[in-house]
């Protein structure tokens, strides 16, 4: 499917809402005007390369094309930053989460108006699942943000959907869902034409879970405005028209990127979607920031508050802090509560947060069994009751070094391992292995036990 959404807006959102992307050092920093011109040239080139990659028939082929583009040696630091983000998206699509985190890293700088660390007050840590469900009880809307290249920041939302449904929430909306997929509710699962980020299995699981729980799923993306203030305003107007104008008593769970959910302060030369939404609807959403207090492959990119909290508490699940007066702690104005995510634990080269808080279990897969020595190879698990067009519940790419001769310099999923684990809910699945051209290599039916 052709790429339909201008990603530069998201790149700018990522940089402005946090710190700065890791970029090669330069001897003399460019002027703001020079940097803007470099970004525009880089964005045009990166978008062209992405469109070329998306002409490939297979997802693995598109990833290979993006990997080649990122490795081509363009010296423009703006291009390296943008193409690194684009490559990271495709790495999440094929289930290669460690490389995705490594290829695009936002340095979380402490801002002058950051609130004091919760360790400096009497705020108490609580499991984020429990605390957010409690905080949402008297709200009509809950807004979560995410880092698009780090699906760790989608996991808590998936875990909370059932709890929020029990509290009466009935509508779910997500950034870059396509309104053109008007068969989503009847079908019950996302396909390639459902959205952009829903190509990634955790994002697809978020939408699938909402559908199974009985949520109305709403696309609110701006269809003509490509970025900046115009996009924020249009998104807010779409939300109001498609949710609350038709269902005034609806209760909404929303997933969006970065600072789109901040409730106050300048954003992308104007105001954020959430601020526009408050003005239009009169609804004050619970805003949950999940993109700053997160682990990075290079700990030097972590926010200064992150490591002390991890060292003192050693959490094994996402945390929030609650003050004595019952109010949640947030790092910055514009958000109601901030989430600390623990460092990832890798098992067979994959992060165990893929279990979604215990909803899914690891299921061992061997490349030798599925790939028939045809590498690189993509193994996908689809729910047995969904069609061949369904976005997979999980994917695992295999590309081990050749048996004879020196391995190339390409990034290898799971460090080139030829065995790994898919993370799946208990139930029946169809496994399909394909090569980079999309040709099937093997099929298998499996059952994941309770």
């Amino acid at each position: 499917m052709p790429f339909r959404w201008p990603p530069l807006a998201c790149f700018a959102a990522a940089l402005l809402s946090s710190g700065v992307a890791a970029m090669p050092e330069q001897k003399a920093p460019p002027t703001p005007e020079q940097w803007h011109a470099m970004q525009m040239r880089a964005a045009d080139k990166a978008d062209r390369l992405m469109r070329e990659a998306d002409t490939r028939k297979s997802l693995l082929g598109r990833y290979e094309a993006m990997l080649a583009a990122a490795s081509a040696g363009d010296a423009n630091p703006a291009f390296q930053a943008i193409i690194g983000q684009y490559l990271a998206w495709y790495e999440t699509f094929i289930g290669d989460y460690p490389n995705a985190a490594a290829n695009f890293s936002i340095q979380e700088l402490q801002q002058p108006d950051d609130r004091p660390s919760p360790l400096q007050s009497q705020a108490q840590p609580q499991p984020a699942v429990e605390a957010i469900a409690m905080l949402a009880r008297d709200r009509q809307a809950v807004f979560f943000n995410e880092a698009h290249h780090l699906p760790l920041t989608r996991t808590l939302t998936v875990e909370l959907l059932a709890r929020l449904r029990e509290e009466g929430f009935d509508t779910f909306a997500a950034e870059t869902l396509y309104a053109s997929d008007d068969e989503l509710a009847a079908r019950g699962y996302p396909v390639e034409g459902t959205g952009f980020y829903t190509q990634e299995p955790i994002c697809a699981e978020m939408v699938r879970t909402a559908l199974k729980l009985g949520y109305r799923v709403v696309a609110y993306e701006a269809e003509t405005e490509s970025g900046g203030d115009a996009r924020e305003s249009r998104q807010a107007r779409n939300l109001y028209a498609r949710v609350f104008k038709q269902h005034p008593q609806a209760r909404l769970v929303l997933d969006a990127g970065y600072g789109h959910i901040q409730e106050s302060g300048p954003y992308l030369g104007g105001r954020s979607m959430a601020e526009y939404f408050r003005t239009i609807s009169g609804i004050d959403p619970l805003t949950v920031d999940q993109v700053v207090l997160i682990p990075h492959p290079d700990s030097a990119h972590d926010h200064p508050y992150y490591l002390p909290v991890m060292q003192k508490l050693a959490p094994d699940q996402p945390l929030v802090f609650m003050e004595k007066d019952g109010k949640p702690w947030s790092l910055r104005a514009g958000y109601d509560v901030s989430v600390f995510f623990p460092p990832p634990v890798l098992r067979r080269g994959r992060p165990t947060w893929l279990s979604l808080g215990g909803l899914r279990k690891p299921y061992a897969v061997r490349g030798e069994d599925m790939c028939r020595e045809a590498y690189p190879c993509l193994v996908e698990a689809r729910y047995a009751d969904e069609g061949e067009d369904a976005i997979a519940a999980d994917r695992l790419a295999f590309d081990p070094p050749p048996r004879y001769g020196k391995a190339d310099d390409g990034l290898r999923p799971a460090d080139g391992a030829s065995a790994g684990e898919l993370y799946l809910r208990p139930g029946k699945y169809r496994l399909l292995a394909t090569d980079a051209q999309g040709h099937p290599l093997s099929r298998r039916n499996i059952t994941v036990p309770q």
Side-chain angles (χ1 to χ4, degrees):
M1 175 176 182
F3 180 65
R4 295 175 47 187
W5 179 66
L8 180 60
C10 186
F11 176 75
L15 298 188
L16 291 176
S17 66
S18 296
V20 296
M23 301 179 187
E25 293 185 2
Q26 296 190 74
K27 293 181 181 179
T31 65
E33 293 77 15
Q34 291 171 330
W35 180 242
H36 178 74
M38 291 167 66
Q39 285 183 313
M40 293 302 100
R41 291 195 301 271
D44 288 344
K45 179 177 180 179
D47 285 354
R48 175 176 55 80
L49 291 169
M50 179 176 283
R51 286 181 168 84
E52 291 173 0
D54 278 353
T55 63
R56 304 281 186 100
K57 291 184 178 180
S58 75
L59 182 57
L60 194 55
R62 294 170 201 165
Y63 159 71
E64 285 193 317
M66 293 304 296
L67 178 60
S71 306
D74 190 315
N76 179 351
F79 176 78
Q80 288 300 316
I82 294 174
I83 201 67
Q85 184 185 34
Y86 290 14
L87 175 61
W89 292 341
Y90 281 78
E91 283 166 334
T92 68
F93 295 170
I94 66 168
D96 185 9
Y97 300 106
N99 273 327
N103 276 319
F104 184 71
S105 184
I106 298 290
Q107 185 173 4
E108 305 297 350
L109 302 175
Q110 185 168 356
Q111 304 298 320
D113 57 350
D114 282 357
R115 296 188 172 104
S117 167
L119 297 181
Q120 297 176 17
S121 70
Q122 295 182 317
Q124 295 298 309
Q126 292 189 16
V129 169
E130 303 294 333
I132 293 172
M134 177 192 68
L135 291 168
R137 284 175 182 165
D138 62 349
R139 300 289 187 126
Q140 196 170 355
V142 180
F143 288 5
F144 296 90
N145 66 0
E146 64 167 55
H148 300 309
H149 71 293
L150 191 62
L152 167 66
T153 57
R154 296 174 177 141
T155 58
L156 182 59
T157 309
V158 179
E159 291 180 55
L160 273 162
L161 282 173
R163 296 287 297 271
L164 294 174
R165 190 75 179 97
E166 292 172 358
E167 296 291 341
F169 287 85
D170 54 19
T171 306
F172 176 79
E175 184 179 331
T176 74
L177 289 183
Y178 301 144
S180 58
D181 185 7
D182 54 8
E183 297 181 357
L184 176 61
R187 189 175 56 242
Y189 58 85
V191 298
E192 189 171 341
T194 295
F196 182 69
Y197 295 120
T198 47
Q199 296 178 80
E200 188 277 314
I202 298 294
C203 190
E205 190 70 8
M206 188 188 306
V207 173
R208 178 184 287 113
T209 300
L211 290 167
K212 289 184 181 300
L213 290 170
Y215 284 86
R216 287 187 299 271
V217 175
V218 174
Y220 71 94
E221 186 56 72
E223 297 169 3
T224 55
E225 295 83 352
S226 63
D229 194 60
R231 181 183 178 217
E232 303 300 304
S233 174
R234 172 57 65 185
Q235 286 182 332
R237 284 179 282 156
N238 285 346
L239 264 182
Y240 179 73
R242 297 174 187 178
V243 179
F244 296 100
K245 190 172 182 179
Q246 299 181 43
H247 307 279
Q249 302 306 313
R251 299 186 71 192
L252 171 67
V253 179
L254 177 140
D255 174 75
Y258 300 103
H260 295 301
I261 73 163
Q262 74 177 41
E263 296 183 66
S264 61
Y267 183 68
L268 296 180
R271 295 191 291 170
S272 70
M273 176 275 294
E275 188 169 359
Y276 276 116
F277 172 79
R278 283 191 65 170
T279 301
I280 295 168
S281 68
I283 296 170
D284 177 17
L286 176 71
T287 48
V288 184
D289 178 31
Q290 304 184 105
V291 303
V292 178
L293 299 168
I294 56 177
H296 295 75
D298 181 353
S299 60
H301 289 174
D302 292 345
H303 189 279
Y305 293 175
Y306 181 79
L307 182 58
V309 169
M310 295 301 109
Q311 289 177 330
K312 181 174 182 178
L313 300 175
D316 61 0
Q317 61 181 307
L319 294 179
V320 302
F321 283 82
M322 300 295 295
E323 304 285 0
K324 270 195 166 184
D325 60 5
K327 293 182 179 178
W329 176 88
S330 65
L331 175 66
R332 290 170 186 162
Y335 302 94
D336 292 314
V337 60
S338 297
V339 179
F340 285 83
F341 285 89
V345 175
L346 295 183
R347 171 176 159 144
R348 293 192 177 183
R350 307 196 78 204
T352 57
W353 49 253
L354 286 166
S355 68
L356 300 179
L359 295 175
R360 309 202 301 183
K361 296 181 176 182
Y363 183 91
V365 178
R366 295 179 60 84
E368 292 93 335
D369 298 335
M370 296 294 299
C371 298
R372 309 289 172 84
E373 297 297 322
Y375 296 109
C377 161
L378 186 66
V379 178
E380 301 178 278
R382 289 182 172 83
Y383 288 91
D385 61 352
E386 295 184 354
E388 293 294 332
D389 58 347
I391 300 297
D394 197 10
R395 298 188 180 106
L396 184 58
F398 291 110
D399 192 15
R403 291 182 178 179
Y404 306 103
K406 186 178 179 181
D408 59 37
D409 294 328
L411 294 172
R412 295 189 179 277
D415 293 328
S418 59
E421 292 175 328
L422 295 164
Y423 280 80
L424 303 169
R425 295 176 187 258
K428 295 182 178 181
Y429 296 84
R430 300 186 312 276
L431 298 190
L432 172 65
T434 54
D435 63 16
Q437 288 71 47
H439 300 140
L441 301 171
S442 66
R443 300 176 187 269
R444 182 175 300 172
N445 294 327
I446 65 168
T447 299
V448 178
Q450 290 285 344

